[in-house]
């Protein structure tokens, strides 16, 4: 939130980019229930989306093998879409893309 607020003004487009290899694995080590962590993450990203509305674009990319759990990233994208204010979100599961060059091209197009 601090970083987004640093350069914020009415005409500024904002972007958040998440790159993950799967669901958070440290929840249990911290004594937290994974479902509770997912709810907290979705609430936080939803609050951010509500704050910045249509100026915000959120991209969530899951990089991992076909067995990786990207449900948290998918839920976070939905939380952005469900938040008031018309923020945009997209979740991309790169494990479903078999051609490495397509995956690389997709990643390049998301960050440029």
């Amino acid at each position: 939130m601090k970083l987004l607020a640093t350069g914020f003004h009415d005409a500024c487009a904002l972007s958040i980019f998440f790159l993950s290899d799967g669901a958070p694995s440290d929840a249990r080590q911290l004594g937290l229930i994974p479902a509770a962590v997912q709810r907290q993450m979705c609430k936080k990203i939803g609050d951010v989306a509500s704050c910045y509305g249509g100026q915000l674009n959120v991209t969530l990319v899951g990089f991992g093998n076909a067995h990786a759990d990207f449900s948290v990233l998918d839920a976070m994208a939905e939380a952005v879409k469900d938040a008031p204010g018309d923020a945009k979100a997209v979740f991309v599961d790169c494990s479903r893309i078999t051609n490495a060059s397509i995956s690389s091209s997709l990643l390049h197009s998301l960050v440029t």
Side-chain angles (χ1 to χ4, degrees):
M1 289 294 290
K2 288 179 186 178
L3 186 57
L4 286 173
T6 300
F8 178 70
H9 55 81
D10 291 341
C12 182
L14 302 169
S15 182
I16 298 175
F17 185 85
F18 283 90
L19 182 62
S20 176
D21 63 351
S25 58
D26 54 356
R28 292 195 196 282
Q29 294 170 342
L30 297 172
L32 302 170
I33 299 168
V37 171
Q38 179 172 329
R39 283 191 301 274
Q40 289 176 358
M41 292 175 74
C42 288
K43 181 179 180 341
K44 185 66 173 180
I45 194 71
D47 290 347
V48 172
S50 295
C51 181
Y52 293 102
Q55 290 178 267
L56 181 65
N57 291 295
V58 180
T59 303
L60 303 109
V61 178
F63 266 92
N65 63 37
H67 304 292
D69 178 6
F70 297 125
S71 59
V72 174
L73 293 178
D74 192 32
M76 289 172 67
E78 291 305 313
V80 170
K81 293 175 191 175
D82 292 343
D86 297 326
K88 308 288 186 278
V90 62
F91 164 64
V92 179
D93 181 351
C94 288
S95 70
R96 305 218 187 276
I97 301 172
T98 58
N99 184 323
S101 65
I102 293 174
S103 179
S104 178
S105 297
L106 174 63
L107 181 58
H108 178 72
S109 69
L110 290 172
V111 296
T112 57

